[in-house]
Amino acid sequence: LATGLQTLTSLTSLTLDFSCSKLESIQHLATGLQTLTLLTSLTLNFIWCSKLESIQHLATGLQTLTSLTNLTLNFTWCENLESIQPLATGLQTLTSLTSLTLNFYACQKIESIQPLATGLQTLTSLTSLTLDFSGSKLQSIQPLATGLQTSTLLTSLTFNFRECENLESIQPLATGLQTLTSLTSLTLDFSWTFTSQSALQDVFKSWLWYSAEEWELKWEDRYVAAKRNGQPQHQNILNK
């Protein structure tokens, strides 16, 4: 695959799906990606690649793709994946990105998103961001507060932390959201965490989101959705 990719230097869009395979390393894939410098859209699916333990070489493959505007990486049920550290290096050069989707659903060994925050700080052109860490062992989302502060062009934001039972607090999220005054769509899912409704209320009360037109919120076994017309309605909705 790597040899074949290296000859396709005119590619602008690429989708590769390795789902349910016995893939153990992405080193050769990373080598193949390095020559595809004209790519503007890249989707890589590694769903249920249970033998994949490291994405160390991913940074090498991504660093040269400076024309990318759309990136989707799906590692759903890669249960042996231990760290997302390489993302910090890989994302830092992708300053043209406008849309980023990262899915680490049921990656049970991931405990920190600090590397991701480092990478996000350089992506100042992002308008759409989707992060899914459902079922992971994350303890803190504090790094996201720092990472989001430079993403002032975001219009669509989706965070999924469903079943993150070790999550200590979502209060830091308020700091990150305060700078996102261009948001028109927001989805937060904290279903089946130990996050209280009062904690969610604190986040929304401290967030200056008057430009938002649509948002969705999930909390434990409850679902709340609203489409705003005029003045903010979050306090009444959350208290239902």
Side-chain angles (χ1 to χ4, degrees):
L1 177 61
T3 304
L5 286 177
Q6 286 177 326
T7 64
L8 304 178
T9 54
S10 297
L11 274 185
T12 59
S13 180
L14 175 64
T15 297
L16 297 175
D17 194 335
F18 298 94
S19 299
C20 299
S21 70
K22 296 181 179 180
L23 190 70
E24 297 182 7
S25 172
I26 56 177
Q27 180 176 1
H28 296 302
L29 172 62
T31 302
L33 289 175
Q34 284 180 312
T35 60
L36 307 182
T37 55
L38 297 183
L39 274 183
T40 58
S41 178
L42 175 63
T43 298
L44 300 177
N45 288 321
F46 300 96
I47 301 170
W48 227 303
C49 291
S50 58
K51 292 188 176 183
L52 188 62
E53 298 180 355
S54 172
I55 53 174
Q56 182 62 46
H57 300 287
L58 184 62
T60 306
L62 291 177
Q63 280 180 320
T64 61
L65 307 183
T66 55
S67 296
L68 274 184
T69 58
N70 192 322
L71 175 62
T72 298
L73 301 176
N74 193 339
F75 294 94
T76 295
W77 279 106
C78 290
E79 54 192 3
N80 287 312
L81 191 62
E82 297 183 349
S83 173
I84 58 174
Q85 178 64 47
L87 279 179
T89 306
L91 291 176
Q92 284 178 344
T93 60
L94 306 183
T95 54
S96 296
L97 272 185
T98 58
S99 177
L100 175 63
T101 298
L102 300 176
N103 195 331
F104 293 94
Y105 176 83
C107 293
Q108 300 175 5
K109 292 188 177 181
I110 294 179
E111 298 181 353
S112 173
I113 53 176
Q114 179 61 55
L116 178 58
T118 304
L120 285 177
Q121 286 180 311
T122 63
L123 306 182
T124 56
S125 297
L126 275 184
T127 58
S128 177
L129 175 62
T130 298
L131 302 179
D132 191 338
F133 286 91
S134 301
S136 68
K137 294 184 177 179
L138 289 184
Q139 297 181 1
S140 173
I141 57 175
Q142 173 66 51
L144 278 180
T146 304
L148 287 175
Q149 288 178 350
T150 58
S151 302
T152 55
L153 298 182
L154 276 178
T155 58
S156 177
L157 177 62
T158 298
F159 283 162
N160 194 338
F161 295 99
R162 181 181 176 88
E163 297 179 6
C164 290
E165 297 180 353
N166 294 332
L167 199 59
E168 297 172 351
S169 172
I170 65 167
Q171 186 57 44
L173 189 59
T175 305
L177 291 175
Q178 285 177 350
T179 61
L180 307 183
T181 56
S182 297
L183 273 185
T184 59
S185 178
L186 172 67
T187 300
L188 302 177
D189 189 345
F190 295 96
S191 306
W192 301 101
T193 68
F194 292 109
T195 300
S196 67
Q197 185 183 22
S198 61
L200 289 173
Q201 287 176 319
D202 289 342
V203 169
F204 275 80
K205 287 177 181 178
S206 59
W207 175 33
L208 303 178
W209 60 288
Y210 290 93
S211 62
E213 295 176 355
E214 183 176 354
W215 59 271
E216 296 179 356
L217 170 66
K218 289 184 179 181
W219 168 74
E220 294 183 355
D221 60 344
R222 300 176 60 188
Y223 177 83
V224 183
K227 187 167 185 179
R228 294 182 56 252
N229 292 308
Q231 295 301 312
Q233 305 172 31
H234 62 282
Q235 292 187 22
N236 292 333
I237 292 169
L238 287 172
N239 287 330
K240 286 185 178 180

